[in-house]
Amino acid sequence: MKIISIKIKNYRVFENLKIKKIPAFFVVVGANGTGKSTLFDIFGFLHDALKNNIRQALQVRGGFNEVITRGKEQEDIEIELQIRMKILGTQRMVTYSLSIGQENKRPLIKREILCYRRGPNGKPYHFLNFKKGKGYAIINEEESDQPETELKREKQELDSSDILAIKGLGQFQRFKAASAFRSLIENWHVSDFHISEARGSKDALYAEHLSPKGDNMALVAQYIYQEHPEIFEEILQRMQERVPGISKVEAKNTEDGRLILKFQDQAFKDPFIDRYVSDGTMKMFAYLILLFDPKPHPLLCVEEPENQLYPSLLHELAEEFASYAHRGGQVFVSTHSPDFLNAVPLESIFWLTKENGITKCSRAKDDPTLVNLVEAGDLPGYLWTQGWFQGVAP
């Protein structure tokens, strides 16, 4: 999977934002208030809307009037993603469009479309098309590459107009495109990591993937150690390289049947429980757990990974993110760190600026001055702090 482009209209600071040529490793910089967090929240919003519904996804963000751009309350929120993804064993260029409005002060989905081309040529065909909870989806998509074949539409009506059609129909295998797209969004990871949540003992349950807040880190560490020992050994080796003295990490059961992380320092006989381990050590371990997940997420979104980490670690962390993207998962990162940015290729860097209250996005690779300076040996992070990213005040 790879997000190729995104269009956002009337979502907070994004009155009309378009980002094209999005790479597998996407790094965004910008001054405070330009919309870096809002960009990441788009993916969190879609994930929440799929898990619950549009109304609840808006409520946790303050409601429709708090999310829609100021002065645009009479218009709709519009999101369009262009994604290269696999459907029925074939890579497709899929476009997903979502329009959200209000009627009688209640939010609803005005339009939802999922489309892709039937063959190498021609216009994208609507494989899912819904308006206000009513619409259709194609049920014989396996024949879609044969233009002469008549595709069969099945009409459907959802229980409510605030439920995504990809949620309602995606649970049924006969709707191939909706099912594939639902599975994709369900597996996005939008990090909201809190070190305080990751510390302390946890009920000894079961977890395969790190949660957005990281509160199940001990459970995931235990799972990887037991089921994928070779991966856990790789994680431990990276920890030893990144954090001086760390020789062992283990998830141990307590007497009351809970689970806790312990870190062994070579200088001490007994291991430390995680409450006595530094914030940086905890965060580095969390990132390695995330980046070496045996079943990688198709999309990782991480805000400001430099927080709590020593600057010398950021170059290697950037390379870890790039490696994850190279292995097939897409990575979105926001940063304020020149040390992190110095390790990022120019084609991966984008920056946000605000002009007359409207946020715009620029691509570093499209700026001839930046290209020439980097080719001459300058590093992107230093160019950013020196003001060469036009319109950005770090």
Side-chain angles (χ1 to χ4, degrees):
M1 181 227 81
K2 184 185 175 189
I3 297 172
I4 303 298
S5 69
I6 183 170
K7 296 180 183 179
I8 309 167
K9 186 176 180 181
N10 299 332
Y11 193 98
R12 291 183 167 161
V13 298
F14 298 145
E15 183 178 331
N16 193 1
L17 181 74
K18 298 179 182 178
I19 307 177
K20 300 179 179 180
K21 300 179 181 179
I22 297 176
F25 184 30
F26 174 94
V27 179
V28 61
V29 297
N32 292 332
T34 53
K36 299 186 299 298
S37 294
T38 301
L39 177 60
F40 285 53
D41 187 53
I42 291 291
F43 303 109
F45 173 75
L46 290 173
H47 189 275
D48 290 348
L50 182 65
K51 183 179 179 181
N52 299 300
N53 55 45
I54 288 292
R55 178 179 55 82
Q56 289 177 275
L58 288 168
Q59 277 182 340
V60 299
R61 291 163 173 80
F64 182 88
N65 289 332
E66 287 297 317
V67 174
I68 195 163
T69 304
R70 293 286 183 265
K72 302 293 181 178
E73 290 83 3
Q74 304 306 313
E75 299 184 20
D76 298 335
I77 297 170
E78 297 179 14
I79 300 170
E80 181 183 292
L81 298 175
Q82 197 170 50
I83 301 177
R84 192 183 307 280
M85 60 179 289
K86 187 173 288 187
I87 299 177
L88 292 168
T90 301
Q91 288 290 336
R92 311 279 187 180
M93 184 66 78
V94 176
T95 301
Y96 178 70
S97 304
L98 182 66
S99 178
I100 303 163
Q102 278 196 122
E103 286 188 1
N104 300 320
K105 297 184 178 180
R106 291 181 61 85
L108 79 162
I109 300 168
K110 288 193 172 180
R111 191 74 186 267
E112 184 179 6
I113 295 172
L114 187 65
C115 61
Y116 59 85
R117 287 185 177 85
R118 296 184 61 182
N121 302 308
K123 295 182 179 180
Y125 191 87
H126 293 179
F127 285 82
L128 180 148
N129 191 336
F130 271 70
K131 293 181 181 179
K132 298 181 180 180
K134 298 179 182 180
Y136 69 84
I138 301 300
I139 58 173
N140 62 332
E141 291 178 53
E142 60 273 12
E143 302 171 27
S144 65
D145 286 337
Q146 304 170 21
E148 71 279 1
T149 301
E150 182 179 350
L151 297 180
K152 299 175 183 177
R153 298 182 179 183
E154 182 174 307
K155 292 183 178 181
Q156 289 282 338
E157 182 173 350
L158 302 172
D159 293 336
S160 172
S161 58
D162 68 354
I163 296 175
L164 291 175
I166 57 170
K167 175 180 180 177
L169 275 62
Q171 60 188 315
F172 302 110
Q173 285 301 313
R174 66 181 183 276
F175 303 114
K176 306 297 191 304
S179 180
F181 200 77
R182 170 182 168 142
S183 177
L184 186 71
I185 295 180
E186 281 179 331
N187 287 290
W188 285 353
H189 182 96
V190 183
S191 179
D192 186 26
F193 182 74
H194 295 273
I195 291 172
S196 59
E197 298 276 356
R199 296 185 190 277
S201 60
K202 313 294 179 186
D203 290 331
L205 302 174
Y206 179 82
E208 294 184 10
H209 303 285
L210 191 69
S211 65
K213 290 186 177 182
D215 56 346
N216 63 347
M217 189 160 68
L219 298 173
V220 179
Q222 184 184 53
Y223 163 74
I224 297 177
Y225 174 76
Q226 292 176 342
E227 302 297 330
H228 302 275
E230 71 289 349
I231 293 178
F232 192 84
E233 186 62 32
E234 178 74 11
I235 292 172
L236 182 57
Q237 181 180 338
R238 300 299 173 100
M239 278 295 292
Q240 292 170 343
E241 294 170 356
R242 308 284 190 272
V243 184
I246 293 293
S247 59
K248 187 177 182 181
V249 182
E250 57 184 347
K252 298 290 290 185
N253 289 95
T254 63
E255 291 182 358
D256 60 353
R258 295 165 71 82
L259 200 66
I260 196 165
L261 278 175
K262 288 189 174 185
F263 293 78
Q264 179 71 57
D265 191 308
Q266 292 173 345
F268 297 91
K269 178 181 178 181
D270 297 320
F272 294 98
I273 58 175
D274 57 19
R275 76 175 67 170
Y276 299 118
V277 174
S278 73
D279 289 353
T281 297
M282 290 290 290
K283 197 163 189 181
M284 179 57 73
F285 189 64
Y287 284 142
L288 292 174
I289 288 284
L290 185 62
L291 292 168
F292 286 88
D293 192 316
K295 296 180 180 178
H297 297 277
L299 174 67
L300 294 184
C301 292
V302 181
E303 289 194 72
E304 300 177 16
E306 64 268 18
N307 293 339
Q308 289 94 32
L309 293 182
Y310 196 70
S312 64
L313 295 175
L314 298 179
H315 190 284
E316 292 170 328
L317 182 60
E319 290 181 346
E320 296 282 14
F321 281 127
S323 177
Y324 186 95
H326 181 73
R327 296 195 301 269
Q330 194 165 17
V331 180
F332 280 50
V333 173
S334 70
T335 185
H336 286 288
S337 168
D339 295 290
F340 185 92
L341 210 59
N342 280 339
V344 179
L346 204 61
E347 56 267 22
S348 289
I349 301 173
F350 292 67
W351 77 93
L352 299 179
T353 54
K354 189 180 284 187
E355 300 175 15
N356 300 319
I358 298 173
T359 293
K360 296 182 179 180
C361 186
S362 302
R363 181 173 177 255
K365 191 68 174 178
D366 294 336
D367 188 305
T369 302
L370 289 175
V371 171
N372 290 334
L373 287 170
V374 169
E375 287 179 351
D378 286 300
L379 294 174
Y382 298 146
L383 294 174
W384 174 57
T385 57
Q386 293 164 9
W388 290 98
F389 285 62
Q390 210 168 35
V392 174

